[in-house]
Amino acid sequence: MPGGGRIRIGTCSWADRGLVASGWYPPSARTAAARLAFYGASFDTVEVDSTFYAIPEQASAFQWAARTPPGFLFNVKAWGLFTWHSVKYETLPEWVRHEIPRPESGRLDFQGLPRELRPVLWKRFTSALEPLRTMDRMGYLLFQLPPKASFSPVMMRYLERVAEVTPPFRTAVEVRNRSWMEKGNRESFLSLLKGANMAYVAVDEPELDWTVGRDFPVTATWGAVARFHGRNREGWTKKGATVAEKFRYNYSDGELLSWEGEVRNAAERAGKVFLMFNNCFRDYAVKNALRMKCLLGVACSPGEGVQGELSFEE
């Protein structure tokens, strides 16, 4: 198979409601277990986004591994409380809710968490993922920062702390504010990532005043990561847009192929590249991911071809 496993392509959810409703899963895949098994027959990696909203149970990690083929890799999104987001109070472990009164807003951020509880919660989170790591079924741990998190000494110190506590997990960092990639800041930021062997997450998203652009610097020796959020400019700029409106974008072949040079360069430099589709509107993400696999020569579905690959010369 071209690529020799160096290029892994998947989506940022296997259980998104829109995907389930789209009809991509067969009627027989009624349960979460059946859907993951069906997904695993088409892809060799997936991103787990449920971990962004709450700490998972360790039993879940064992079940994920059992429902997928050997060699399938899970990429896990860090809990929002660890990435400068706020989380719903009700998603906190019950024992934590006994320690902290419910905020008036109903949400809690990292600053509202007592210092003594922070390492305890981090231990709970990483312990839940430990089965995936020990079975060599984990790709990377994703730290996705919110758009409000701009480049600053405080945020750089935060990333230094992330680098200290995340090993032996492989860590990838996605920033969502243009200030990180501005001249001067970019050099310091990428230098920190390289020194810590953390991967910079390249993004495909609408080009807006605050977005970071489509650069793909390679900063980790273990691999490189690119996430595809769609280019729905209208959805991203519309006030009060729903998640469905924001990610409603179906990539063209030309848009996907525009990444080919960067992807192959990253594969040569890092050895492994993860291309993850987050345009989770109905079945757009899975269809674009499957198409990317074919366009890059990783694998094509039966009967699928790439325009221009056949010779009509006699």
Side-chain angles (χ1 to χ4, degrees):
M1 180 182 294
R6 293 186 305 158
I7 300 175
R8 288 180 178 256
I9 301 173
T11 70
C12 296
S13 174
W14 74 82
D16 181 80
R17 292 179 182 178
L19 175 59
V20 174
S22 73
W24 186 72
Y25 285 116
S28 58
R30 296 190 181 93
T31 65
R35 288 167 186 157
L36 182 54
F38 180 85
Y39 176 97
S42 297
F43 299 101
D44 59 7
T45 191
V46 75
E47 201 171 275
V48 183
D49 68 346
S50 60
T51 51
F52 174 77
Y53 301 99
I55 295 177
E57 296 294 331
Q58 192 177 77
S60 297
F62 282 109
Q63 290 167 356
W64 297 338
R67 294 165 182 168
T68 50
F72 186 98
L73 297 182
F74 292 89
N75 310 304
V76 179
K77 200 171 183 181
W79 189 27
L81 205 64
F82 300 138
T83 58
W84 291 76
H85 293 82
S86 64
V87 300
K88 290 183 179 179
Y89 178 77
E90 287 72 23
T91 64
L92 294 170
E94 185 177 359
W95 64 271
V96 176
R97 296 200 300 271
H98 289 317
E99 300 286 332
I100 307 173
R102 188 179 191 278
E104 195 171 317
S105 65
R107 302 187 70 86
L108 187 76
D109 60 20
F110 195 69
Q111 286 68 39
L113 194 66
R115 284 185 174 273
E116 64 272 16
L117 291 184
R118 297 174 185 178
V120 178
L121 285 170
W122 175 249
K123 180 64 175 177
R124 289 287 183 96
F125 181 78
T126 54
S127 294
L129 305 179
E130 190 63 14
L132 294 178
R133 191 190 68 79
T134 56
M135 289 187 288
D136 201 21
R137 300 295 300 279
M138 186 156 176
Y140 57 83
L141 181 59
L142 173 67
F143 280 72
Q144 184 191 50
L145 303 185
K148 67 181 180 181
S150 58
F151 179 91
S152 69
V154 170
M155 291 308 302
M156 286 288 283
R157 175 59 191 139
Y158 159 78
L159 289 181
E160 290 172 355
R161 183 60 178 154
V162 168
E164 291 171 0
V165 302
T166 52
F169 292 96
R170 294 181 287 265
T171 304
V173 177
E174 180 178 345
V175 294
R176 302 163 69 195
N177 185 299
R178 186 176 292 271
S179 63
W180 289 90
M181 299 301 281
E182 291 175 345
K183 188 174 181 179
N185 299 346
R186 173 193 171 101
E187 291 74 17
S188 297
F189 169 46
L190 297 183
S191 178
L192 188 157
L193 295 183
K194 289 177 181 177
N197 204 26
M198 298 193 296
Y200 172 85
V201 176
V203 291
D204 187 297
E205 60 191 7
E207 294 188 357
L208 305 174
D209 290 343
W210 55 272
T211 54
V212 299
R214 300 185 186 123
D215 291 344
F216 200 176
V218 175
T219 60
T221 59
W222 55 262
V225 182
R227 301 179 79 235
F228 293 76
H229 301 299
R231 301 182 183 182
N232 187 354
R233 183 183 180 90
E234 181 180 353
W236 281 50
T237 56
K238 177 182 176 181
K239 187 175 182 180
T242 64
V243 173
E245 288 177 305
K246 184 175 180 180
F247 293 108
R248 184 176 184 170
Y249 193 84
N250 195 15
Y251 284 96
S252 69
D253 281 5
E255 289 169 334
L256 296 176
L257 281 170
S258 69
W259 279 86
E260 182 176 15
E262 295 279 12
V263 169
R264 297 202 184 281
N265 176 61
E268 288 296 324
R269 296 181 60 192
K272 184 176 294 181
V273 180
F274 293 88
L275 306 180
M276 309 306 299
F277 284 80
N278 192 40
N279 54 328
C280 296
F281 176 81
R282 296 187 64 81
D283 59 0
Y284 286 9
V286 290
K287 285 186 173 180
N288 286 162
L290 288 169
R291 187 58 180 159
M292 182 68 105
K293 287 177 68 174
C294 188
L295 291 170
L296 295 184
V298 176
C300 285
S301 301
E304 184 182 15
V306 179
Q307 186 176 3
E309 72 178 6
L310 298 178
S311 173
F312 291 94
E313 297 179 3
E314 297 189 8

